[in-house]
Amino acid sequence: MRAALWRHLQWRGVTLAGLGILWITYGIGLIVADRPGLVSATAPILRVMCLEAWGGVWIACGAAGLVTAVLRPGRDMWGFAGAAGPPLIWGLAYIAAAVTGAYEVAWASVPLFVAILLELVVIARLTGGRTRGCACEGVTDGH
């Protein structure tokens, strides 16, 4: 069963599923945990929505990644958009907070967001061809 699941998901699906689970967990953490440093670092986007609403955005984007992880390349675009959206928005917010002085040490977290986006680009590029087969169609070698 694990082999069939791997043949279906491969690196692209595993990346989407993994980030989906992480984003859902992080979103829940934003909703239930008190994090003063995070509030300072995300001040530019907290003018748009409260932290709990942003937690909902992380959860929704994580769900998009998780649900689309089983789809073939090209059909999982919403999952990659969902996986990339929150770190892109938050990375920009952290940059803005550092530049404006709202949270001067926010720059130190920017590489984390860039690394996530870089991972998504690499995985999407390396696995973007329509080579990933579906185990449900009897494909045995992933091509």
Side-chain angles (χ1 to χ4, degrees):
M1 179 171 156
R2 273 194 298 175
L5 182 61
W6 172 252
R7 279 193 310 270
H8 185 73
L9 292 178
Q10 295 185 6
W11 288 115
R12 189 175 181 99
V14 169
T15 299
L16 284 176
L19 287 177
I21 291 168
L22 291 173
W23 283 191
I24 291 169
T25 305
Y26 189 71
I28 292 169
L30 291 176
I31 293 170
V32 301
D34 182 28
R35 303 175 56 189
L38 180 82
V39 170
S40 298
T42 58
I45 60 172
L46 290 180
R47 292 184 194 108
V48 177
M49 291 189 305
C50 66
L51 192 57
E52 291 79 11
W54 281 110
V57 169
W58 280 85
I59 291 169
C61 289
L66 193 56
V67 168
T68 61
V70 299
L71 301 177
R72 290 192 196 157
R75 295 183 181 173
D76 56 6
M77 176 185 64
W78 292 110
F80 275 93
L88 176 63
I89 293 168
W90 281 47
L92 293 172
Y94 273 60
I95 290 169
V99 169
T100 63
Y103 191 61
E104 294 165 358
V105 296
W107 64 268
S109 296
V110 172
L112 173 66
F113 297 113
V114 172
I116 293 166
L117 294 170
L118 181 61
E119 173 199 9
L120 284 167
V121 168
V122 168
I123 292 292
R125 179 69 181 118
L126 291 176
T127 63
R130 294 195 178 270
T131 60
R132 189 172 90 200
C134 178
C136 60
E137 294 174 354
V139 175
T140 58
D141 66 356
H143 295 282

